[in-house]
Amino acid sequence: MSLDKDKVTAALGKEAAYGKDLDLNAFDDDDAVHAKTLGDLSNQGRAKLEKVGMELDESNRSATFVQVDNNATKLDIKPDTPLVLMNTGDAAKKYPELVKKYWWHAVAPDKDKYTAKTALEHENGYFIHLQKGVKISTPLQACVFMSHEHQLQRVHNVVILEDGAELNIISGCASDPNVDKGLHLGISEMYVGKNAKLTFTMIHSWGKEVSVRPRTAVIVDENGLYMSNYVCMEKAADVQMYPVTRLIGKGATSRLNSILIAPEGAHLDIGGEAILEVPGTKSEIITRSISTGGTIINRGRLTGLSEGVKAHLECNGLMLNDKGRIHAIPELDCQTGNSELSHEAAVGKVNQEEIEYLMARGLDEEEATATIVRGS
C-alpha cells in the first residue's frame, strides 16, 4: 500500500480519541543499535525476557523473533519449519505484492499520531506468514524489548495466516529493569483466513514510567478463529490498548481474554471491540481485573452489523483497597433485529469478614486475601 505521506504527516498532530496525549518529541527517536545479540543485554534484562514467556534456549519454540529498541536482534526458525518470519521492513521490500494487499489495511496509518509516527519511519517489527493449510503446533515466540532510557520504540507487526493455517504466538513485551521511562508504539495487523486459527498470548512487563500505545486490528474470515490472551500484572505508567476484531466471514469467531493487575501509580486503559459483520459470527470479550491502588479503565464494545450474530462481553473487577479505581464501560451496538449481544459488568471489594474468617483458621492476611482473589 502506498502511503499518502501528506495525509499521514498531518496525523502527527492528531490526538487519540481518549486517554493521555503524549509528546513524541520528549523521547529519543533513533535506530541506534544498543544490542547486537541477546548476550549484549544485562543478566537482569535476559531474566526479564524469560519473565514474559520467552525461552532463551528455544527448545520448545518453532521460531524466535526479538526486537531490541528499534532493531531486530534475533531471528531464528527451526529447520524444516514451514513459515516465513522476517523483520517487517525487510519483508516489505521482498514481498511488494503482499504490501499492496495487507500493509496498513487493517489499521489506518493516519488513525492518530502513534500510527502516523510508526508508518512514516523505517519499519520495524515482525512479519509472519503461513501458507494455506500449514499447521504449526509448537509456539512461535516474538519479543519486543526496550533497553535504552527515554527510548521511543516503533513496531509494525504483520501476521498472515492463509486458509486452514494454524499458529500459536507468544509475545512478550518488556523493558530492562534499569529503564524507567520510554514510549512503546506497537501497531499489529493480523489476518486470519478461512478455517484458520491464530492464538495470540501477550505478556507485558514494562518499566514504572513507560507509556505503551498498541494499535491492533484483526480480520477473521469464514470459520476462522482468533483467540487473544493478554496479561499485565506489574506497574506500567500508562497503557492504552483497544484491539479491534472484524469478523467478515460466516462462522468467524474471536475471543479476547485479559487479566489485569494495577498497583498504585499504574494506569491501564484496556479494552477491545468485536465487529460482527455477517451472519453466524461469534465473539467473547472477558476481562478479570484487580486494583491494588492503581487505575483500570476497562472498555468493551460489541457491534452487531448483521442478523444471526452472537456475542458476550464480561468485565469483572476487584478492589483490594480504597486507593485505586476500576471503571467498566461496556457498550452494545445492535443494528439488526435478530442478534444476541449481552454484557455483564461487576466491580467489588474483598469482604473483610471473609478475610477474618480465613485468618481465624490459620492463614495470615495476605494468604487469606490471595485465597479469596483466586476463588473470585
Side-chain angles (χ1 to χ4, degrees), residues 59-226:
S59 58
N60 295 310
R61 300 291 187 259
S62 59
T64 297
F65 176 93
V66 181
Q67 176 176 318
V68 177
D69 300 325
N70 285 322
N71 291 276
T73 298
K74 186 175 182 61
L75 201 164
D76 289 327
I77 304 174
K78 280 191 175 180
D80 301 320
T81 302
L83 64 81
V84 176
L85 173 63
M86 300 178 65
N87 180 57
T88 311
D90 294 337
K93 296 175 183 177
K94 186 173 182 179
Y95 302 108
E97 71 282 2
L98 295 180
V99 172
K100 292 180 181 179
K101 187 175 181 180
Y102 295 105
W103 260 243
W104 299 107
H105 281 260
V107 177
D110 60 345
K111 177 181 177 67
D112 56 29
K113 64 167 63 177
Y114 311 120
T115 58
K117 179 65 175 177
T118 306
L120 290 170
E121 303 293 340
H122 174 73
E123 287 208 303
N124 305 289
Y126 52 80
F127 168 75
I128 300 171
H129 185 197
L130 266 68
Q131 293 188 342
K132 185 176 181 179
V134 172
K135 298 181 180 181
I136 299 177
S137 58
T138 306
L140 178 154
Q141 59 185 8
C143 186
V144 178
F145 188 78
M146 188 180 293
S147 74
H148 186 59
E149 182 72 9
H150 281 88
Q151 180 71 53
L152 193 161
Q153 184 176 55
R154 306 179 309 275
V155 180
H156 180 206
N157 304 317
V158 179
V159 179
I160 304 168
L161 269 62
E162 295 188 10
D163 296 352
E166 294 185 7
L167 182 63
N168 179 2
I169 300 175
I170 297 176
S171 176
C173 299
S175 55
D176 189 276
N178 295 315
V179 173
D180 288 326
K181 188 172 184 178
L183 172 59
H184 168 83
L185 307 180
I187 316 303
S188 296
E189 303 185 273
M190 303 184 185
Y191 302 88
V192 182
K194 296 178 181 179
N195 301 300
K197 179 181 178 180
L198 175 59
T199 301
F200 185 77
T201 301
M202 177 182 288
I203 304 172
H204 275 183
S205 180
W206 296 105
K208 295 181 179 180
E209 298 301 324
V210 173
S211 296
V212 186
R213 292 292 184 270
R215 298 291 185 262
T216 299
V218 185
I219 298 177
V220 187
D221 211 334
E222 183 178 341
N223 292 319
L225 171 63
Y226 174 71

Side-chain angles (χ1 to χ4, degrees), residues 7-17 21-22 24 108-116 215:
K7 185 177 180 181
V8 177
T9 300
L12 288 173
K14 185 177 179 181
E15 296 184 9
D21 187 56
L22 301 173
L24 300 179
D110 60 345
K111 177 181 177 67
D112 56 29
K113 64 167 63 177
Y114 311 120
T115 58
R215 298 291 185 262

Side-chain angles (χ1 to χ4, degrees), residues 190 198-201 216-218 220 225-231 241-247 253-259 270-275 282-288 298-302 311-315:
M190 303 184 185
L198 175 59
T199 301
F200 185 77
T201 301
T216 299
V218 185
V220 187
L225 171 63
Y226 174 71
M227 180 178 292
S228 168
N229 304 300
Y230 174 65
V231 179
M241 186 169 71
Y242 190 80
V244 177
T245 59
R246 288 181 53 206
L247 307 176
T253 302
S254 68
R255 299 191 182 106
L256 306 181
N257 304 305
S258 299
I259 297 175
I270 308 294
E273 179 178 8
I275 304 175
K282 298 179 181 180
S283 183
E284 288 182 342
I285 301 178
I286 309 295
T287 302
R288 298 288 184 266
N298 186 219
R299 307 173 191 269
R301 181 180 176 89
L302 302 175
H312 180 66
L313 173 65
E314 190 172 314
C315 316

